Each structure stands twice: as structure tokens, then as C-alpha cells.
Amino acid sequence: MVEQAQRAWIVRLFQAVACCVFFACTSLAHADTALTGNYREAHPSDDPAKVLDEAWTAALPAFEPSRMRIFRTGEAGTWVILRPLPPWSGGERVLSIHTPGAGKVTLYYGQGMKATTSLDDFGPPLHGHGRLMFAIPATVPASHPLLLKFEPTVQPPGAVTFSVDSWSDYLRDDATWLVFATACFAIMLTMALMALCFTLILRDMTFGWYAAYLVCYALIQGVRTGFIFHPLELQALAGAGDSLGTTATALSVSFAALFMLRFCKVNDYVPLLRVPVLAFAVGMPMIAVCQMTGLALLANTAQLLLQPLLLLGALLLLVAGAIAAARGSRHAWFFLVGWTPLLLLTAACGAQLQGMFTSAPWLPDAAIALGAFEAIVLSIGLSDRALTIRHDRDKARQLADADPLTGVLNRRAWTEASLAALEEGMGRPVALLFLDLDHFKALNDRHGHAAGDRALVAVAGALRHELRPNDLLGRYGGEEFVALLRGAERENAVQIATRLCRRVSRLDVHVGNHEPLTVSIGIAMRTPADTVQSLIERADQAMYAAKLGGRNRVVCSGPTGPVLVRTKVSTTP
């Protein structure tokens, strides 16, 4: 059954990955107009018309708009000229700029017409989701070059691609990306909510650190893609994307480190790396604080250290997880499966910002998909951890409730269970049996305490086998046992007690050479005024009456103490 459940989880995991990959691929599939492009650095004295003229007469640096390109904006920005290639199609069109970063971009239509937008711009009636979009009216000829200006910004530039589509193609592509991104963010936030619930239920901060990490990672991707601005329309965050993204990045890796410390049990499996991982978790928020102070020295230093520390810290977590997994940490394998692909993709996205992997414009969208994938994998691991915790707690409770020698309920656990049984009311009769082994001290004196322990284990096994599953059997102390029989009338209780006496006397346990071990049993029937303690006292008095009457017999006591039934048990078959 366990193997089947594991196979089912694996199938669901691969189905989720396949869905993410499908949406990531289809979100990029659109029929766009072929483009060529040129660019140059902007100057304060530039005029858009002159820049277009210059593009026809001067040899400007060329680039391929469908391949990712980074434009360093400098002090005055960067001009980009896009030329549609034939065959041209007229009508209204849409210019899309994918992964543009947080800066502003202006499109010059000609004849003094222009439009400026950014990811956090709430002015235009229509917005691109995960990109910048400009509506090109039908009055602009399809063969007319498009002039863009990337405005200067202190924020890191994005590695962008360009496309010109018809409205139908654009809307189809936009809807596909919205479905893909919404599904990924929904998975991450749902897993975070589930982890938060586990935190409150189990009171285990491992789940809390994981929930905080997922929220921060979702926020990072939401800022990068502009999802928190459109479609979520969180206007209060406009203009705060840079600081918000930096803070979320620092906190996400800090929470990831704290989560990994507990989830992978680094202190048990890799104690030497506990302090470095903890220092990384504490140090990353300090970087974010320095960057937000506004002091040039601290902010520049923090910006310089952020990316190297992120890379080193991520590698540190990967190494610690790998060592913990190799040394037997079960949950470290979940961490590695979820963390490693995301780490590699993050490194690839970082390399893309340095001009590498320009032919893979799908990498930024894949970061969202892998975030959802990681959320699923680690949530499965956390579910496994929750089941392990529950199993360990059940086992600990079982050990705490069981007598360590005989395995039946100990005195405390039996008393608690009996109290609960008596609280069920007077609907059913209840009988309490008090059992004391006869001449047990003589058995210990003659054969030793080890033999006495073996005798107690054998007696407990015989009693447990003879009683019903819903009867409560416990060891009261020493050689004394107690049993609470629910739904047993007096005659039935006497019959059960008689069988118990006969069963014990037929065990292969002897006090002397030929004298078998026997048991004396006192019975007390529950009355409306009885408590557990009063039942025990009356059953104990009845048991002493059985001892005085010759042992190896059953005595049933009445409510006020006098003996109502005496039954001597024969030891012969």
C-alpha cells in the first residue's frame, strides 16, 4: 500500500510538471511579424525624428529582436529601432516587450505621437500581463519602423525580446500566459497556506519558514513579471518594485535557509555546516536593510554583495542538503529534488542577464513553473514529515501509556481510560476485576526476579487473549492487574473472571516444583454513585476475600462490601 501511494504521488508530480512545461511552452507560441533591430545610446540632445533618419544613414549596432537582449540605459537611456520585414499586413497591431524589467519605455509613432508605459503603470486602459504592450493604430503603415526609447533607470535592466502581433494573436498569447502564471502562483500560495495550517496544528516552525519562503518567492516573481500590478492591480505597490523585489529576495533565501536547517535536520546530519547556514540566514536580511537605508555607501555595498552572496548561499544550502541526504536524511532528498532545478534555473537566468542563453527567452517563465514545481515537491516532503511526526507522537504516547514489561496499560493510562468509560453514563453495566497473583513472592524468592518477570509477561498475554478487544486491561502495580469490562452483567463478569483464573493456572509457570501459578480475582459492579476509585476499593476488598477463602478463586462484592458470590476454580482440565 505504501509503495502504491508513493507511485501515485510520483505520477501526480510528473503530471504537474508536464502541465507547467506545457503552459510555459504554449505561452511563448504566437505568430509574430518578423523584425530586425538596431540600437544606440541616447544623448540629451537627441530628437526622435533625427534618430530615425540616422537609422537609415548610419550603421547602428544590430540585434535580433526575437533573441534576448540587454540594453544598458546609461544617463539618457537607449534608442531601439524595430523594422518589420515583408510581407506586411496592415490593420491594428500590438508591439510586445517581454521581460522588460521595472523601467519605463516610450514608443514614438511619428508626427509627434508617443506613448510611455512600464510594468507598474496604471494609466493605459489595456495592460500587458508579464510584458509591456503598445497598441499600434492602423494609421501607422505596417512597413514603418518603430522607435523605442528605454528611459534611464537605476534599476537593473531586463533581458528583453520584441514581437509585433495581430490583436487576435496577442490576446490568445496573453490569455495563455495569464492561465499559466495564475496556475503557478495559485499552486505556490496554496502550498504556503497548507504549510501555515500545519504550523498552527503541529506547532512546528519548519512549516512556517517554508510558508514564508514560498510567499517571498511568489512575490519576487510577481514583481519581476509585473503580475502584482496587472492583473492584480495593486496600485499601492507602484514605484516600490525595486525595493520590494530586493527585500523579498533577501528574505526568501533567509527563510529557505531556516527551513532547510530544520527540514533536512542539518544539526543531526551535518553539524559543521549548521553555523554557516544560520549565519547566511541572519546575514541576508541585513543586506536588504543596508540597501533600503538610502545611504549611498551602504546601498552600493549591499547591491555589490547581493548577487554573489545569493549564489554562495544557494550553493551552501545545496551542499548541506546533499551531505544530509547522503548520510540518511530522508527529507533532504525532497529538498534536493525541489531546490536543485530551481537553483540551476536561477543561475541560468543570472547568466542570461550577462548576455548568455539569448536564444532561450522562455527561461524567465520557466522560473515561475519551477517555483510551482518546487512548492509541490517540498509540500509532499512536508506532508511526509507531518505523517512522521504524527507516527512518532502516537508511538511516544503508546510507550507512555504502556507498561514497559507486560505491554498492557500502565496505572495512569488505565485510570484515564476507565474515567472516560464511566463518563459514558449508566446505559451499559460495567464490571471491574481486580487480579492478584497467588504466592508471587515465593516464585521470586525461589526462581529469581527474572523468572517473576517472565511470569508477569505470560500472565498479561493470557489475560489479553481471554478478554474482549474493548475491555480495558492494565497493570496496577507489582503482581496486580485490573480489568474494566464494559457491557458485562454480574453473571457474565463472574464467568469471564473464572476463565481468567483457569487460563492463568494452566500456564507453564510454577511457584514450586508442582504447584502452578494461580490468581485471585475480586469483582465490583458499577453503581450510579461509583467512581473509578470506589470500584477499585470494592474489587480490592473482594480480591482479599478470595485470598482468605483459599486463593485461586473469584469473589464478587456487593455495593456495601459483603460477598455475594464465591467461586473456586479447578486447576484440572
Side-chain angles (χ1 to χ4, degrees):
M1 293 296 292
V2 175
E3 292 181 355
Q4 291 178 354
Q6 290 176 342
R7 291 194 197 101
W9 275 114
I10 293 173
V11 170
R12 290 173 189 153
L13 184 59
F14 278 108
Q15 288 174 344
V17 175
C19 288
C20 290
V21 172
F22 170 76
F23 279 118
C25 293
T26 55
S27 67
L28 297 168
H30 53 81
D32 57 330
T33 301
L35 298 171
T36 61
N38 300 92
Y39 70 96
R40 78 162 174 83
E41 183 179 347
H43 306 293
S45 60
D46 283 340
D47 177 79
K50 292 182 178 180
V51 174
L52 279 176
D53 292 339
E54 183 182 348
W56 292 107
T57 58
L60 298 182
F63 73 98
E64 187 177 339
S66 62
R67 296 172 66 90
M68 303 199 81
R69 182 78 187 190
I70 300 172
F71 298 104
R72 311 292 177 183
T73 56
E75 296 182 357
T78 300
W79 293 105
V80 174
I81 302 97
L82 300 176
R83 293 190 179 90
L85 297 177
W88 297 296
S89 58
E92 293 185 350
R93 305 173 305 283
V94 180
L95 169 63
S96 300
I97 306 176
H98 300 263
T99 64
K104 293 183 177 181
V105 180
T106 301
L107 171 65
Y108 294 87
Y109 297 99
Q111 299 179 353
M113 297 173 57
K114 69 176 184 178
T116 301
T117 189
S118 63
L119 288 178
D120 58 356
D121 182 11
F122 292 90
L126 293 176
H127 305 280
H129 299 118
R131 60 190 143 177
L132 298 184
M133 60 84 67
F134 295 94
I136 304 174
T139 54
V140 177
S143 59
H144 194 278
L146 304 174
L147 179 63
L148 295 164
K149 185 180 182 183
F150 284 76
E151 303 293 345
T153 176
V154 295
Q155 300 167 354
V160 300
T161 59
F162 303 88
S163 64
V164 175
D165 310 283
S166 65
W167 269 106
S168 59
D169 289 336
Y170 167 79
L171 291 175
R172 182 173 63 251
D173 185 46
D174 184 60
T176 302
W177 189 89
L178 270 179
V179 171
F180 157 71
T182 302
C184 292
F185 284 123
I187 289 173
M188 286 186 269
L189 295 180
T190 301
M191 297 300 114
L193 181 61
M194 183 196 72
L196 184 61
C197 292
F198 275 121
T199 304
L200 299 176
I201 294 172
L202 300 177
R203 298 180 182 179
D204 185 352
M205 272 309 297
T206 306
F207 299 88
W209 298 131
Y210 173 67
Y213 161 71
L214 276 185
V215 171
C216 287
Y217 185 81
L219 183 59
I220 293 169
Q221 296 300 327
V223 170
R224 185 191 64 79
T225 61
F227 195 88
I228 63 171
F229 306 120
H230 310 290
L232 295 186
E233 299 292 329
L234 299 180
Q235 297 191 35
L237 300 178
D242 186 43
S243 59
L244 193 62
T246 301
T247 303
T249 300
L251 290 179
S252 69
V253 293
S254 179
F255 290 139
L258 293 171
F259 161 71
M260 184 262 183
L261 278 173
R262 298 171 66 99
F263 184 63
C264 299
K265 296 183 179 180
V266 172
N267 196 38
D268 295 335
Y269 293 98
V270 201
L272 292 178
L273 293 182
R274 178 181 180 275
V275 173
V277 173
L278 190 59
F280 174 67
V282 175
M284 285 307 298
M286 300 302 297
I287 295 292
V289 170
C290 290
Q291 193 165 15
M292 291 187 296
T293 57
L295 301 176
L297 179 61
L298 292 178
N300 292 336
T301 303
Q303 184 63 34
L304 185 65
L305 294 176
L306 181 61
Q307 292 301 327
L309 285 179
L310 283 176
L311 181 59
L312 291 175
L315 290 174
L316 174 64
L317 298 186
L318 185 63
V319 169
I323 296 176
R327 292 181 177 179
S329 175
R330 171 187 174 89
H331 296 126
W333 288 107
F334 287 99
F335 178 80
L336 290 176
V337 172
W339 181 260
T340 306
L342 192 61
L343 175 61
L344 296 175
L345 183 64
T346 301
C349 289
Q352 199 172 60
L353 292 177
Q354 305 302 321
M356 301 173 63
F357 305 119
T358 58
S359 60
W362 47 267
L363 283 178
D365 281 345
I368 308 176
L370 278 185
F373 169 75
E374 181 192 36
I376 294 172
V377 172
L378 294 183
S379 294
I380 294 173
L382 283 172
S383 299
D384 182 77
R385 176 184 173 87
L387 292 174
T388 302
I389 291 174
R390 181 175 179 179
H391 174 75
D392 291 344
R393 288 183 179 179
D394 290 345
K395 187 175 181 180
R397 168 170 282 189
Q398 182 180 6
L399 292 174
D401 291 347
D403 175 65
L405 177 63
T406 61
V408 300
L409 294 175
N410 57 31
R411 183 169 179 171
R412 175 196 58 78
W414 181 88
T415 302
E416 291 178 357
S418 298
L419 284 171
L422 293 186
E423 289 176 357
E424 295 176 358
M426 297 295 297
R428 293 191 302 170
V430 174
L432 191 145
L433 277 57
F434 199 100
L435 303 88
D436 187 278
L437 299 181
D438 299 326
H439 302 299
F440 188 75
K441 185 177 182 301
L443 186 150
N444 275 333
D445 293 341
R446 292 181 182 179
H447 304 290
H449 288 281
D453 289 345
R454 290 193 295 271
L456 290 173
V457 172
V459 169
L463 298 179
R464 190 162 42 216
H465 185 271
E466 195 68 36
L467 292 173
R468 300 168 300 180
N470 64 331
D471 294 331
L472 298 177
L473 175 64
R475 185 181 177 190
Y476 200 72
E479 69 273 21
E480 297 172 336
F481 293 86
V482 283
L484 192 76
L485 312 182
R486 285 176 283 196
E489 301 286 354
R490 183 171 60 228
E491 293 77 8
N492 191 20
V494 171
Q495 292 176 0
I496 293 173
T498 302
R499 290 204 308 269
L500 294 178
C501 283
R502 187 176 293 112
R503 183 68 177 260
V504 171
S505 66
R506 292 175 179 175
L507 292 174
D508 188 19
V509 180
H510 296 83
V511 176
N513 292 332
H514 302 289
E515 183 181 358
L517 178 68
T518 59
V519 63
S520 299
I521 302 177
I523 303 175
M525 300 301 300
R526 192 263 300 267
T527 65
D530 266 324
T531 64
V532 173
Q533 188 58 39
S534 64
L535 273 173
I536 291 175
E537 290 174 358
R538 291 197 290 112
D540 186 43
Q541 292 174 4
M543 182 273 296
Y544 274 109
K547 292 277 189 182
L548 294 174
R551 295 183 174 85
N552 189 27
R553 64 191 61 215
V554 175
V555 173
C556 184
S557 175
T560 58
V563 172
L564 299 180
V565 179
R566 292 184 177 87
T567 302
K568 186 178 187 306
V569 180
S570 173
T571 59
T572 59

